[in-house]
Amino acid sequence: MTSPEVPLPYTIAVRALCEFTAKVGDLDLRFTPSPSADEGMAGHRLVAARRGAGYQTELALSGQHRHLQVRGRADGFDAARGRLEEIKTHKGRLDAMPANHRALHWAQLRVYGALLCAAKGLPALELALVYLDITTQRETVFIEHCTAAALQQAFEAQCERFLAWAAQESAHRAARDAALQQLAFVHPSFRAGQRTLAEAVYRAAVAGRCLLAQAPTGIGKTVATLFAQLKACPGQRLDKLFYLTAKTTGRALALQALAQIRQAAPTLPLRALELVARDKACEHPDKACHGGAQDGLRPDRLRGGPLRAAGRGPCPLARGFYDRLPAARAAAVQAGTLDRATLRSVALAHDVCPYYLGQELVRWSDVVVGDYNHCFDLHALLHSLTQAHDWRVGLLVDEAHNLVERGRRMYTAELSWAGLLAARRAAPAVLKPELEKLQRRWRELNATLAADYSACDAVPGPWLEALRQAVMAWADWSEAGQGGSVDEPVAGPAPALASPGLFEPAEDGQGSVPTDALRTFGFEAQRLLRLAELFGPHALCDITRHLAARRGGIDTSVCIRNVVPAPMLQARFAAAHTVTLFSATLAPADYHRDILGLPADTAWVDVPSPFRAEQLRLRIAGQVSTRYRHRERSLPALLGVMAQQYGEQPGNYLAFFSSHAYLLQVAALFEAQHPHIPVWRQRRGMTEPERDAFLDRMTATSRGIGFAVLGGAFSEGVDLPGRRLIGAFIATLGMPQVNPVNEQIRQRLDQLFGAGHDYTYVVPGLHKVVQAAGRVIRSSTDEGIVVLLDDRYHRPEVQRLLPAWWQLG
């Protein structure tokens, strides 16, 4: 790789420079500092407060070497002592930190030192690497005295390692932006509605605003939104686009749209990356995420007695990861589109982990296609990198109606009494006292319950303090036995994150295999503690007593349940230059503004449907009630309507129901009464091949009825054009069950927004209905019918939430 004759200027943050040039050796996740972002900032403030007057924090520094501009903010500078500090917060034993982690920290501090000496004309400087234990608030400080000349030499050495890559990246950015300015739409003309949507997305990007875009299914929203934001990149100096989806099918559609854009502009130098979950990308799930080196950690120093290395061994793709990364990275950026298969091929060709190669390549990609978790979760990768590198980002949120429920789940955590008992049984002797204290507090909590469900205004204090002590003990023990932290902030639900190689010592101290019960409880407890720190009006704390309690046992769960994810999501939206949330079901706009915490100036566009009303016949079966208390009585009428419609117009239909139980009940009766009509059913927990087989039964020449659950895998993100699907039966309003949890949510939303019933039941339910109905008409030539099987569809308050182009009769 060589620099061009006239290199373009390139600006990079100190952290990014050192991560590129100073990381060597193994990928090692046994020590990942676990404080949250808020804890980290609090730690920095604590250290600064201890330093006294004259101590400067967040000191802006910059410098240049050849065509490379380096900038950043040093943590702290004491001019009187001539001391520059880099502050790192952590939890657990510092001597468990791998040597290459500390080497990276020193590299950052030395670069800041060089910049400071150059800015202030200092001849020498004292460098202090300060590690603050968040739990004990104790500082461990390492000192190095350097001359300005030595620091400048170290700075230039770091820059020289990056210069060729910087020149390549500058040339790529210039070529990308030039090509995007000339980019034409992928088709000779826009579909009806596509231009309206694309123009709204482009205007929002230019204005740096959020946009809520409601647009009907089947108009090509994916390619329209991607095209519009790509066109905005040069003028708005956008570094990256993040395209976020709720389901795997959404990622596939985005990659297809990017392929169309590439096909229309073959010379466009656009780098696209697909991010997938770690469990789907891992090549060695039986191995731990480290290369095996212990960095001097001695087994006889582990708490709870000597442990032998048991459980999962080191991963071969982690050993020497950073030594092989440069070649893998160079090959990957030449691939253009790195979907899951291509990324895996490049990674394995260079013997590196595909998952962590993908995380590295976020830095060097133009478009990243991933899951909501990658940007919106508590430890979201894309959000943290955006903040760390000060990127200007365009955010596209596909099928954004899903973000309400997904956002709630990201910020909800639950612990069970049964889980505590299992963890206590599996725990080593050193952990049992704290777990038994928690057990006593939990028993006291159980004794206060007057009903099977109870909601609290706050997390019970004594119980929470006992939980905190138990988690601290668990984390200390885990790090001692593991040689690293148990907390690894990656995207995805916390319970799914398996900490690599935790040891379970037996009572005799000789050691045993890892215990899933103890590990799972520790992760879930740690997550609940994090959410307890964020607790407020947006959340509920509830305690549920389960059926086992009525048989003489005790089985309760404590849940911090997110009701309004707005306080957590607002920072994610604010970090992006522009955000577009789009879906066929975003009305009423106030619902999403309130629940998601969108800015007050968020724009709204409701793209008119390109479909003619006569393409979609709609029928309300008013003699049917799908209310739970009426179901048995209305079954004959429901079956009669379905059989009659099929008899009048045989073909492929989907029938949607509110639950699997209801689905199975109706399907069994329908098969018994109409054995000549082919029927197939959605099952719980279907694999991707099984879901494909379900859809593959619907061809242009086949006939029958597929029974599915409303809101499930087949009610959105499914494209069955033409004769593959000619109709849908929707035997529900899709509203959530009326139960104690939903009633608490309704009350809280009433308090916050004055719209509890609509926000809890009506709006989410009818969103599912409209999504399911949208499977029927996918193009300007499609025709079909939707039969709404419930008398409540006649109500005005229901019909006002249905698409305006529907002609209900």
Side-chain angles (χ1 to χ4, degrees):
M1 191 187 308
T2 57
S3 302
E5 291 183 8
V6 183
L8 297 168
Y10 191 94
T11 300
I12 190 169
V14 171
R15 174 176 169 177
L17 172 67
C18 294
E19 285 179 345
F20 188 96
T21 60
K23 279 189 172 182
V24 295
D26 293 353
L27 173 70
D28 195 336
L29 301 180
R30 291 173 294 175
F31 189 95
T32 301
S34 58
S36 66
D38 289 340
E39 288 176 321
M41 289 187 289
H44 280 65
R45 290 194 297 269
L46 175 63
V47 172
R50 291 172 172 173
R51 297 300 186 260
Y55 187 75
Q56 302 174 55
T57 61
E58 294 291 308
L59 187 64
L61 296 170
S62 65
Q64 189 160 345
H65 176 68
R66 294 170 61 184
H67 56 275
L68 189 64
Q69 181 77 23
V70 182
R71 64 186 183 190
R73 291 183 178 273
D75 289 334
F77 176 54
D78 187 334
R81 299 177 62 180
R83 175 164 157 171
L84 181 68
E85 295 187 332
E86 176 77 4
I87 303 167
K88 302 294 183 183
T89 57
H90 71 96
K91 291 181 180 178
R93 296 175 53 240
L94 191 60
D95 61 355
M97 178 186 289
N100 60 353
H101 287 213
R102 191 167 297 165
L104 173 62
H105 301 159
W106 275 118
Q108 293 174 3
L109 181 52
R110 289 167 185 147
V111 169
Y112 281 125
L115 298 178
L116 181 63
C117 287
K120 295 185 177 292
L122 302 176
L125 199 59
E126 179 180 283
L127 303 182
L129 194 53
V130 181
Y131 290 101
L132 176 72
D133 188 319
I134 288 294
T135 303
T136 64
Q137 297 188 348
R138 185 178 63 193
E139 294 180 30
T140 303
V141 183
F142 299 92
I143 301 294
E144 183 177 271
H145 296 275
C146 297
T147 65
L151 290 172
Q152 182 65 22
Q153 184 178 7
F155 169 66
E156 292 177 357
Q158 296 287 354
C159 292
E160 284 293 328
R161 296 191 192 111
F162 187 73
L163 279 171
W165 188 270
Q168 171 192 278
E169 292 305 293
S170 292
H172 167 75
R173 177 65 174 265
R176 184 203 76 172
D177 286 353
L180 288 177
Q181 287 177 330
Q182 304 300 319
L183 184 66
F185 192 57
V186 297
H187 303 298
S189 62
F190 288 91
R191 293 184 194 175
Q194 259 187 334
R195 180 181 289 277
T196 302
L197 175 60
E199 289 175 348
V201 174
Y202 183 83
R203 287 195 300 269
V206 171
R209 296 175 66 185
C210 283
L211 169 69
L212 275 171
Q214 179 168 271
T217 58
I219 69 167
K221 294 190 290 291
T222 303
V223 72
T225 53
L226 275 168
F227 170 75
Q229 278 215 355
L230 286 170
K231 287 292 290 183
C233 281
Q236 301 309 306
R237 307 187 316 282
L238 296 184
D239 298 302
K240 301 181 188 301
L241 303 185
F242 297 154
Y243 189 102
L244 306 175
T245 73
K247 298 180 180 178
T248 304
T249 52
R251 293 206 309 269
L253 290 172
L255 292 170
Q256 290 172 15
L258 288 168
Q260 288 181 300
I261 291 171
R262 281 184 171 282
Q263 190 173 9
T267 60
L268 173 64
L270 192 70
R271 299 173 185 165
L273 170 69
E274 179 186 12
L275 288 179
V276 298
R278 185 170 62 182
D279 60 349
K280 293 183 178 179
C282 183
E283 291 291 318
H284 298 284
D286 59 325
K287 301 292 191 297
C289 293
H290 63 81
Q294 291 294 324
D295 293 310
L297 187 67
R298 292 168 48 196
D300 60 348
R301 298 181 61 191
L302 303 179
R303 300 181 189 179
L307 305 178
R308 61 183 174 83
R312 297 185 295 168
C315 177
L317 299 181
R319 188 178 299 116
F321 175 88
Y322 291 110
D323 301 327
R324 296 188 296 274
L325 177 60
R329 180 170 51 209
V333 297
Q334 301 301 319
T337 296
L338 286 163
D339 58 13
R340 176 181 174 182
T342 306
L343 179 64
R344 178 178 184 269
S345 177
V346 172
L348 296 185
H350 292 83
D351 291 325
V352 297
C353 171
Y355 178 75
Y356 287 101
L357 177 61
Q359 292 205 339
E360 165 67 20
L361 290 170
V362 170
R363 297 160 172 81
W364 317 110
S365 298
D366 304 305
V367 182
V368 179
V369 179
D371 185 86
Y372 290 170
N373 280 341
H374 289 116
C375 191
F376 296 121
D377 192 54
L378 197 61
H379 294 296
L381 171 72
L382 298 182
H383 175 63
S384 62
L385 287 177
T386 296
Q387 289 188 307
H389 299 287
D390 198 24
W391 290 332
R392 286 173 67 88
V393 166
L395 199 58
L396 294 171
V397 184
D398 184 22
E399 301 293 359
H401 62 279
N402 287 303
L403 187 55
V404 171
E405 188 55 36
R406 285 288 300 277
R408 285 172 172 162
R409 293 209 305 267
M410 289 176 205
Y411 297 94
T412 291
E414 185 171 17
L415 284 178
S416 73
W417 170 260
L420 169 61
L421 296 183
R424 189 185 64 81
R425 286 192 297 269
V430 70
L431 290 184
K432 285 189 184 295
E434 295 299 339
L435 291 174
E436 287 168 356
K437 287 180 187 177
L438 176 60
Q439 188 176 351
R440 289 195 294 272
R441 292 300 187 195
W442 205 321
R443 191 177 288 115
E444 294 169 3
L445 193 63
N446 290 338
T448 67
L449 297 180
D452 288 344
Y453 176 84
S454 175
C456 313
D457 293 331
V459 186
W463 178 89
L464 184 63
E465 182 56 31
L467 180 68
R468 182 176 290 111
Q469 295 301 320
V471 168
M472 287 171 57
W474 172 82
D476 286 347
W477 168 79
S478 300
E479 288 177 1
Q482 157 67 13
S485 171
V486 296
D487 185 14
E488 182 190 349
V490 297
L497 302 182
S499 179
L502 296 183
F503 300 113
E504 178 205 356
E507 294 294 339
D508 62 2
Q510 294 307 303
S512 183
V513 296
T515 166
D516 289 339
L518 186 55
R519 177 165 49 228
T520 298
F521 181 82
F523 273 116
E524 291 174 349
Q526 196 171 54
R527 182 174 179 82
L528 190 141
L529 278 179
R530 291 252 174 115
L531 294 178
E533 295 166 1
L534 301 172
F535 194 83
H538 61 274
L540 296 170
C541 177
D542 54 41
I543 306 168
T544 304
R545 183 168 56 197
H546 301 290
L547 293 176
R550 295 176 184 157
R551 297 194 295 268
I554 297 175
D555 188 6
T556 57
S557 60
V558 179
C559 180
I560 294 180
R561 190 181 309 279
N562 183 271
V563 177
V564 180
M568 278 65 72
L569 300 186
Q570 283 168 339
R572 272 64 175 163
F573 295 133
H577 172 73
T578 179
V579 180
T580 292
L581 302 97
F582 59 100
S583 168
T585 48
L586 289 180
D590 286 347
Y591 169 78
H592 291 93
R593 290 193 185 102
D594 290 342
I595 301 296
L596 300 179
L598 297 173
D601 67 346
T602 296
W604 164 260
V605 62
D606 189 358
V607 179
S609 173
F611 307 128
R612 307 179 312 278
E614 56 268 24
Q615 284 182 260
L616 182 66
R617 290 189 297 127
L618 286 126
R619 175 185 170 192
I620 298 175
Q623 72 274 34
V624 175
S625 170
T626 62
R627 300 169 184 83
Y628 187 80
R629 64 183 181 275
H630 298 157
R631 282 182 187 171
E632 291 289 341
R633 193 165 69 237
S634 67
L635 280 174
L638 186 152
L639 295 172
V641 170
M642 293 176 62
Q644 180 185 358
Q645 173 58 40
Y646 185 90
E648 292 174 358
Q649 191 178 3
N652 292 316
Y653 293 81
L654 284 173
F656 294 100
F657 299 86
S658 56
S659 68
H660 276 95
Y662 192 20
L663 178 158
L664 294 174
Q665 180 185 24
V666 176
L669 286 172
F670 191 88
E671 274 193 301
Q673 295 181 18
H674 307 283
H676 62 288
I677 300 177
V679 165
W680 56 100
R681 303 174 180 82
Q682 178 180 354
R683 294 190 303 99
R684 295 182 187 272
M686 294 176 76
T687 64
E688 286 191 33
E690 289 172 333
R691 291 197 294 268
D692 291 342
F694 181 99
L695 296 174
D696 289 343
R697 290 194 60 160
M698 288 178 275
T699 69
T701 58
S702 66
R703 295 180 179 183
I705 301 177
F707 284 70
V709 176
L710 190 71
F714 304 114
S715 61
E716 60 180 87
V718 170
D719 194 15
L720 298 166
R723 298 292 301 177
R724 290 192 66 190
L725 183 67
I726 67 167
F729 303 102
I730 303 178
T732 174
L733 264 70
M735 293 194 294
Q737 289 182 347
V738 177
N739 59 36
V741 173
N742 285 332
E743 281 298 283
Q744 284 294 324
I745 292 174
R746 178 188 62 78
Q747 291 176 26
R748 181 59 55 86
L749 294 178
D750 244 345
Q751 294 168 5
L752 294 173
F753 308 118
H757 179 73
D758 281 357
Y759 278 17
T760 305
Y761 296 109
V762 181
V763 174
L766 292 180
H767 281 174
K768 295 177 185 178
V769 170
V770 176
Q771 285 289 331
R775 302 312 99 203
V776 177
I777 303 298
R778 306 298 297 172
S779 73
S780 60
T781 59
D782 284 355
E783 294 183 356
I785 184 170
V786 171
V787 183
L788 303 172
L789 293 156
D790 196 286
D791 54 12
R792 288 169 290 179
Y793 282 107
H794 284 300
R795 295 180 178 178
E797 64 270 24
V798 171
Q799 293 194 6
R800 70 180 172 82
L801 292 173
L802 299 177
W805 68 279
W806 284 13
Q807 291 187 358
L808 294 166

